């Protein structure tokens, strides 16, 4: 397989398709950060403070369901129509949010928006396999995943500007217009049809229901003040994850690729490493603005953009590494959790302190950026490896699973980080001492799970050496030759 560079991906028809698929992810991601920014102003305007956390919970849950249904939408309507319908559904939900007179109406809009966003997110990843040559997959994945870092900068800026002038509704109009523009481009450049091996399979309704309940339980329990309920939510979520694995392993109509929950399968360490990296980055990013404001005296805007250094580092790592040679990729996979672990250890040392010197702040900024770089360099290769290891029969499932794992990790990181910081004393006893204790315990937890990720990275790297293309081989001499390389 000949390597193809960025010029091939970003020029001509490939270039327009790349922008379209990256735009689908950007719409979803920018919308997430806009809502986080404007939500205080929104609640102050239309009230409904008791449902504050449900603005995120409903959106994530609907996105997860939408992502799971995207494969069926793709099989039924083809790439072009599926993308356009998803963008229009997202635009409708955005319009409802923009004119919502009450919190109930706003949450309904978020539900519709979540479905459309989940469709767009999953379709963007799924279509990489359809519209690009395999040699372009790593770079396409790097470009698409890099949109999250860019959105971290754009989302708060767009939301902050409109919230500052008390016109938060206009931020939704902006996103809705962009959704319509991308749907128009998709009509021109995306293929009308695609060959999908498992298009006729039934929807894994039971697995989808278990996964939805699991996300709702984890998300809802994390928003409750009672620590016992938080712990119970995490335990129930873990049990439901085990149930999901058992059901999917024994089901003829699977949600994930064959053997994903098997110890012998390469999918288990792949998904495990993806979840750990995502939980570590998102968990730290969630509470860093609070720690920086309260312990280091930084304003909300400055603290928010310092925390965004992880996402910026993610993009800076993702794009340049996407074209790395296989030998380098194997090293990247192993180094990713190690770099992130060192970054978290640096934060563990500097964050739980009331010192506000420039040296402390610079060290924190460097650590945040390196954490993002470590995660970002490995991410497109992990996504690509999932596609490479999937059989033709599992191709659609593998593509859809990339979004499912990402959304699940987002919900899990918020629940775990919230529960851990509260149990450590963030609000009880609270104050500076409670915040210092909470930050220490959070970073210790993140260091531990990244330590557990190291053996997973070695397994993946070894498998990439033995099976460069991800496919099983019955030729023992070929396998021996790979091992000697």
């Amino acid at each position: 397989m000949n390597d193809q560079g960025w010029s091939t991906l970003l020029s001509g028809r490939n270039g327009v398709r790349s922008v379209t698929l990256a735009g689908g992810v950007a719409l979803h991601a920018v919308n997430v950060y806009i809502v986080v920014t404007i939500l205080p102003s929104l609640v102050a305007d239309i009230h409904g403070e008791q449902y504050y956390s449900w603005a995120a919970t409903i959106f994530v849950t609907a996105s997860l369901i939408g992502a799971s249904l995207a494969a069926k939408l793709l099989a039924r309507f083809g790439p072009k129509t599926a993308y356009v319908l998803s963008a229009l559904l997202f635009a409708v939900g955005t319009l409802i949010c923009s004119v919502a007179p009450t919190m109930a109406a706003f949450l309904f809009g978020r539900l519709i928006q979540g479905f459309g966003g989940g469709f767009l997110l999953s379709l963007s990843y799924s279509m990489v396999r359809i519209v690009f040559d395999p040699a372009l997959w790593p770079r396409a994945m790097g470009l698409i995943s890099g949109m999250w870092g860019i959105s971290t900068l754009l989302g708060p800026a767009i939301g902050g500007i409109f919230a500052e002038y008390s016109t938060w509704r206009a931020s939704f109009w902006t996103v809705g217009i962009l959704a319509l523009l991308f749907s128009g481009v998709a009509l021109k450049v995306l293929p009308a049809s695609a060959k999908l091996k498992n298009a006729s399979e039934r929807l894994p309704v039971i697995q989808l229901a278990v996964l939805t309940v699991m996300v709702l339980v984890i998300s809802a329990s994390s928003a409750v003040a009672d620590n016992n309920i938080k712990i119970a939510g995490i335990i129930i979520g873990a049990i439901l994850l085990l149930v999901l694995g058992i059901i999917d392993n024994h089901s003829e109509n699977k949600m994930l690729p064959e053997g994903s929950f098997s110890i012998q399968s390469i999918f288990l360490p792949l998904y495990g490493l993806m979840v750990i990296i995502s939980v570590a980055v998102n968990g730290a990013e969630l509470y860093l603005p609070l720690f920086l404001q309260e312990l280091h005296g930084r304003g909300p805007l400055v603290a928010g953009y310092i925390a965004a250094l992880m996402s910026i580092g993610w993009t800076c790592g993702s794009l340049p590494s996407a074209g790395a040679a296989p030998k380098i990729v194997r090293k990247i996979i192993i180094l990713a959790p190690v770099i992130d672990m060192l970054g978290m250890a640096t934060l563990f040392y500097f964050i739980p302190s009331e010192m506000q010197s420039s040296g402390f702040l610079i060290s924190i900024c460097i650590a945040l950026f390196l954490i993002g770089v470590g995660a970002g360099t490995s991410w497109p290769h992990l996504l690509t490896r999932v596609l490479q290891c999937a059989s033709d029969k599992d191709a659609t499932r593998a593509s859809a699973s990339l979004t499912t794992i990402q959304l699940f990790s987002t919900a899990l990181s918020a629940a775990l980080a919230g529960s851990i910081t509260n149990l450590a004393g963030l609000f009880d006893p609270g104050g500076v001492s409670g915040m210092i204790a909470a930050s220490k315990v959070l970073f210790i937890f993140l260091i531990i799970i990244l330590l557990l990720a190291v053996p997973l990275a070695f397994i993946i790297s070894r498998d990439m050496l033995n099976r460069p293309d991800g496919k099983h081989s019955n030729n023992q001499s070929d396998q021996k030759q790979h091992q000697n390389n």
Side-chain angles (χ1 to χ4, degrees):
M1 182 174 63
N2 295 326
D3 182 52
Q4 300 181 48
W6 284 107
S7 60
T8 305
L9 179 68
L10 299 177
S11 60
R13 197 169 186 82
N14 276 346
V16 183
R17 287 175 170 178
S18 297
V19 171
T20 304
L21 298 187
V25 174
L27 283 171
H28 183 280
V30 167
N31 177 68
V32 168
Y33 292 113
I34 284 177
V35 172
V36 169
T37 305
I38 69 170
L39 200 53
S41 301
L42 183 152
V43 169
D45 186 18
I46 64 176
H47 307 296
E49 293 84 353
Q50 66 272 32
Y51 301 110
Y52 190 99
S53 65
W54 281 94
T57 300
I58 286 179
F59 182 80
V60 171
T61 304
S63 295
L64 185 57
I65 297 173
S68 301
L69 296 173
K72 286 296 179 185
L73 188 72
L74 182 60
R76 174 66 178 82
F77 295 103
K80 179 189 297 185
T81 304
Y83 189 101
V84 171
L85 288 176
S86 301
L88 292 177
L89 184 64
F90 181 84
V92 169
T94 303
L95 175 63
I96 294 173
C97 289
S98 71
V99 298
T102 64
M103 181 58 83
F106 176 75
L107 292 179
F108 177 71
R110 289 289 279 170
L111 179 70
I112 304 301
Q113 198 183 46
F115 277 117
F119 283 140
L120 283 173
L121 198 60
S122 184
L123 289 174
S124 295
Y125 285 116
S126 299
M127 289 185 195
V128 166
R129 188 177 182 122
I130 295 172
V131 303
F132 299 122
D133 293 334
L136 291 175
W137 289 355
R139 285 186 171 87
M141 288 297 185
L143 178 65
I144 290 174
S145 61
M147 290 300 102
W148 285 94
I150 295 173
S151 300
T152 305
L153 297 176
L154 294 179
I158 295 172
I161 291 172
F162 287 118
E164 185 73 20
Y165 292 97
S166 301
T167 54
W168 59 265
R169 296 180 188 274
S171 62
F172 288 111
W173 303 339
T174 303
V175 174
I177 291 172
L178 289 174
L180 294 176
L181 288 176
F182 279 117
S183 66
V185 175
L187 278 173
K188 297 290 185 180
V189 301
L190 292 182
S193 61
K195 295 180 180 179
L196 302 172
K197 295 291 183 179
N198 56 346
S200 61
E201 288 190 358
R202 292 179 292 108
L203 190 69
V205 177
I206 298 177
Q207 295 98 307
L208 184 57
V210 173
L211 185 62
T212 301
V213 172
M214 177 173 60
V215 172
L216 278 174
V217 168
I218 294 174
S219 299
S221 63
S222 68
V224 177
D226 192 326
N227 287 335
N228 291 326
I229 295 179
K230 292 180 183 292
I231 295 173
I234 293 174
I235 293 173
I236 294 172
I239 294 173
L240 289 174
L241 180 60
L242 179 62
V243 171
L244 176 63
I246 294 173
I247 293 174
D248 207 52
N249 265 342
H250 292 84
S251 174
E252 294 183 0
N253 189 30
K254 299 183 183 300
M255 183 176 71
L256 297 177
E258 183 76 33
S260 291
F261 291 96
S262 171
I263 297 177
Q264 291 78 25
S265 171
I266 189 59
F267 288 109
L268 190 62
L270 276 169
Y271 289 143
L273 184 57
M274 289 168 63
V275 169
I276 290 175
I277 288 177
S278 183
V279 167
V281 172
N282 290 329
E285 191 175 47
L286 183 63
Y287 281 91
L288 272 168
L290 177 63
F291 295 151
L292 290 169
Q293 289 178 57
E294 300 299 328
L295 298 178
H296 295 270
R298 305 298 161 180
L301 185 61
V302 173
Y305 275 107
I306 290 176
L309 283 171
M310 277 196 295
S311 294
I312 297 171
W314 186 302
T315 300
C316 291
S318 178
L319 297 179
S321 74
K327 184 177 180 180
I328 302 299
V329 171
R330 295 196 298 270
K331 293 180 180 179
I332 286 173
I333 297 295
I334 294 173
L335 287 175
V338 176
I339 293 173
D340 285 354
M341 195 167 22
L342 293 175
M344 292 297 176
T346 303
L347 295 180
F348 170 77
Y349 180 80
F350 286 104
I351 289 291
S353 169
E354 295 180 75
M355 290 191 64
Q356 301 177 15
S357 68
S358 58
F360 267 54
L361 188 62
I362 291 172
S363 299
I364 291 170
C365 290
I366 293 174
L368 292 173
F369 184 77
L370 289 179
I371 290 171
V373 170
T377 52
S378 65
W379 196 256
H381 302 293
L382 294 174
L383 300 180
T384 302
R385 191 61 181 170
V386 171
L387 299 184
Q388 290 175 337
C389 292
S391 64
D392 290 340
K393 179 182 177 181
D394 278 333
T396 305
R397 290 196 200 109
S399 298
S401 73
L402 303 180
T403 308
T404 302
I405 293 297
Q406 185 170 335
L407 292 171
F408 168 73
S409 301
T410 300
L412 183 63
S413 63
L416 290 177
S419 299
I420 288 168
T421 52
N422 285 334
L423 289 171
L426 182 61
F427 297 111
D428 185 15
V432 173
S433 61
M435 194 158 299
I436 289 175
S439 64
K440 286 181 177 179
V441 174
L442 176 62
F443 290 120
I444 288 174
F445 168 75
L446 298 180
I447 291 169
I448 290 173
I449 64 170
L450 285 167
L451 183 62
L452 296 176
V454 174
L456 300 180
F458 272 100
I459 293 172
I460 296 167
S461 178
R462 186 178 62 218
D463 183 72
M464 294 177 75
L465 176 63
N466 295 335
R467 299 188 302 140
D469 62 354
K471 305 302 180 185
H472 288 284
S473 175
N474 294 324
N475 191 324
Q476 294 181 354
S477 62
D478 287 346
Q479 292 178 356
K480 185 176 180 180
Q481 183 180 359
H482 290 321
Q483 292 172 355
N484 292 332
N485 288 338

